[in-house]
Amino acid sequence: MAKIKLHTHRLNRSLGGDICIGVFLFTVGLFMALPMIYAICTSLKPADELWVYPPRFFVHNPTFKNFKELFRILDDSTVPFSRYIFNTLFVTIVGTGGHVVLASMCAYALCKFDFRGKNFLFNIVVLSLMFNATVTAIPNFIIMARLHWVDTLAALVVPAFGSSLGLYLMKQFIEQMIPDGILEAARIDGAGEFLIFFRIVMPMVKPAWLTLVIFSFQGLWNLADTNYIYREDLKPLNYALHQILSGGVTRVGASAAATVLMMIVPILIFVLTQSQVVETLATSGMKD
């Protein structure tokens, strides 16, 4: 029998093509990083450079006086700075964790269980994505008042549990990436639904819920809403830092320093989980 030779061609980019792509990606990345670079440079500018005209992008004589002024202002406040940090960390960590678990559980039930009205419930979730937070502000306040949650951290934490975006994201990912055969095999082996959820489903959709962690963490960390909180000792850190702006032009440098401090933590969270986010985007269109 004559041997059939298969000729294959490997498609490789040339060195010049790799260089062009690298230069293009570096240029785009640098352009996207310009606002962050400008914020850092502004926070390091002395007073004479903050008001120079025309404005300078880079700082010529960097100094940390703006950060010292920021902490001095916060130390002079009636509420300790540590209290604002605790409020923000509590709301962010508890709200993010509860949102990830609740959204994942609801998405798992909508994807892998058949019950009457599940399509109707999911359609309501999708419809709720169309409403801006401003539209639902008054109904939300009435609910919080009826529950006696005004002036409590529960008014900030509990609504974060039920965010529609997390449920939508997790449902789409579980539906695509979790085969029914794996779940049936686990049930035959005697595994319960909670064991299946935490030991099989959650590890398999790790890129999705890590992406959800970034979205939820960023939203709660930057929360400055005081519609439900009026006690000064319960207000979040972002609110306290925004009060610096009320000091007028004399606190521009401290405001720039506050902006840098607020953006450091979300950036660190993204850097630690960026590979999982890329994997989520890469597999979001895959089908079994």
Side-chain angles (χ1 to χ4, degrees):
M1 181 180 295
K3 294 183 179 180
I4 300 177
K5 295 183 178 180
L6 298 177
H7 298 279
T8 60
H9 298 278
R10 296 182 61 185
L11 299 178
N12 295 323
R13 290 193 302 265
S14 64
L15 179 60
D18 291 338
I19 294 176
C20 291
I21 293 176
V23 171
F24 173 76
L25 293 177
F26 175 79
T27 304
V28 173
L30 182 62
F31 179 78
M32 297 177 66
L34 285 179
M36 181 177 63
I37 297 174
Y38 181 74
I40 296 175
C41 291
T42 303
S43 67
L44 298 176
K45 289 180 179 179
D48 57 341
E49 291 189 35
L50 286 172
W51 300 107
V52 68
Y53 186 84
R56 298 171 181 170
F57 187 91
F58 294 103
V59 55
H60 289 187
N61 300 301
T63 178
F64 288 98
K65 289 183 178 180
N66 294 329
F67 290 92
K68 294 179 181 178
E69 177 68 13
L70 171 63
F71 288 114
R72 186 193 64 79
I73 295 172
L74 293 174
D75 287 338
D76 293 339
S77 63
T78 57
V79 178
F81 183 53
S82 57
R83 181 64 187 182
Y84 293 120
I85 296 178
F86 171 79
N87 294 338
T88 297
L89 288 177
F90 179 82
V91 171
T92 302
I93 295 175
V94 177
T96 299
H99 177 45
V100 170
V101 173
L102 185 62
S104 301
M105 284 185 171
C106 294
Y108 174 62
L110 288 174
C111 291
K112 302 303 179 182
F113 291 92
D114 291 326
F115 56 91
R116 183 177 301 177
K118 75 171 188 176
N119 292 330
F120 175 74
L121 292 175
F122 183 67
N123 289 334
I124 292 180
V125 172
V126 176
L127 183 63
S128 67
L129 293 172
M130 301 175 60
F131 292 94
N132 188 274
T134 306
V135 177
T136 59
I138 295 179
N140 288 342
F141 182 84
I142 294 175
I143 293 174
M144 295 302 163
R146 295 287 180 87
L147 294 173
H148 303 288
W149 284 354
V150 176
D151 264 347
T152 65
L153 292 180
L156 303 179
V157 173
V158 176
F161 291 172
S163 177
S164 303
L165 179 62
L167 175 57
Y168 179 81
L169 174 66
M170 294 304 299
K171 180 183 182 300
Q172 298 302 106
F173 203 88
I174 291 175
E175 199 170 47
Q176 295 173 4
M177 302 303 297
I178 306 296
D180 293 336
I182 294 179
L183 305 181
E184 292 298 331
R187 294 188 182 103
I188 292 174
D189 290 339
E193 294 301 332
F194 282 99
L195 182 62
I196 293 174
F197 176 76
F198 286 106
R199 298 293 296 273
I200 298 177
V201 176
M202 291 300 283
M204 293 184 67
V205 296
K206 181 181 177 181
W209 60 258
L210 281 178
T211 304
L212 183 57
V213 164
I214 294 177
F215 292 154
S216 180
F217 190 96
Q218 182 179 6
L220 293 174
W221 178 261
N222 294 320
L223 186 66
D225 188 8
T226 57
N227 291 335
Y228 315 124
I229 305 296
Y230 299 96
R231 288 173 48 185
E232 192 68 26
D233 60 330
L234 292 179
K235 291 179 179 179
L237 176 62
N238 200 18
Y239 169 82
L241 295 180
H242 274 80
Q243 295 308 300
I244 301 173
L245 295 173
S246 62
V249 296
T250 59
R251 295 184 176 178
V252 173
S255 301
T259 301
V260 173
L261 290 180
M262 288 302 298
M263 73 181 185
I264 286 177
V265 176
I267 290 175
L268 289 177
I269 296 296
F270 176 77
V271 169
L272 294 175
T273 59
Q274 62 174 334
S275 61
Q276 303 294 335
V277 176
V278 173
E279 184 176 347
T280 301
L281 299 176
T283 58
S284 60
M286 295 176 60
K287 297 289 184 180
D288 291 339

